[in-house]
Amino acid sequence: MSNTAKTNGERKRPPPVKVLSGQLRTAENRGSADSGDVFVIRPGRGRSLSVSLVWMQGTVLEVQLDRDTVLLMDETGTFAVQGVNNIPRGKPCLSQGKYVMVMGVIQATSPEPVIRAVKMADLSELAALHRRMWKLEVEELQQMMV
């Protein structure tokens, strides 16, 4: 058996796709796959891209630890992140005004995008740079993937 062979218990998940909340708000659910629900976003010019694991960035607007949720905002709108209490080293990200990245699985797209967090990181130290670059990073990655 080769080193790259997968055991029965392992599931292959595609890498995360950088997206904006506005793109998720208009995404279409295309049903389930081995790695969870698959959604289709339209990056533009008649193109489409299937996503289930996403990478998003935004500013923390509200923290609801009793509901295991934070509300974030990027330049295209708001989105909710669930499961934040279970993220290793995620606590520093859970303060209003912090600029954070979150990687997670799409749970819902409408009326507001909801993702279940897998990873979070505080990007506040260089927030101005990260904010300026984020939309360009999203566009570049999506162009390369389609």
Side-chain angles (χ1 to χ4, degrees), residues 43-136:
R45 289 176 261 147
R47 299 176 297 150
S48 64
L49 184 61
S50 296
V51 298
S52 60
L53 184 64
V54 295
W55 173 337
M56 300 176 77
Q57 291 181 189
T59 303
V60 176
L61 294 180
E62 186 178 340
V63 179
Q64 303 171 350
L65 292 179
D66 57 323
R67 295 179 57 201
D68 199 19
T69 301
V70 314
L71 182 65
L72 300 180
M73 182 176 70
D74 68 12
E75 64 184 72
T76 62
T78 59
F79 59 101
V81 180
Q82 298 177 335
V84 296
N85 293 333
N86 301 322
I87 302 301
R89 294 181 291 218
K91 296 288 186 230
C93 301
L94 304 180
S95 297
Q96 189 173 3
K98 293 268 189 175
Y99 189 76
V100 302
M101 71 75 70
V102 60
M103 191 180 306
V105 179
I106 302 168
Q107 301 294 295
T109 58
S110 180
E112 177 177 73
V114 178
I115 65 172
R116 181 176 38 83
V118 173
K119 177 181 179 177
M120 289 184 80
D122 185 359
L123 304 177
S124 298
E125 190 172 321
L126 297 172
L129 175 65
H130 289 295
R131 277 190 189 98
R132 279 196 312 270
M133 298 301 296
W134 181 239
K135 187 173 182 186
L136 298 172

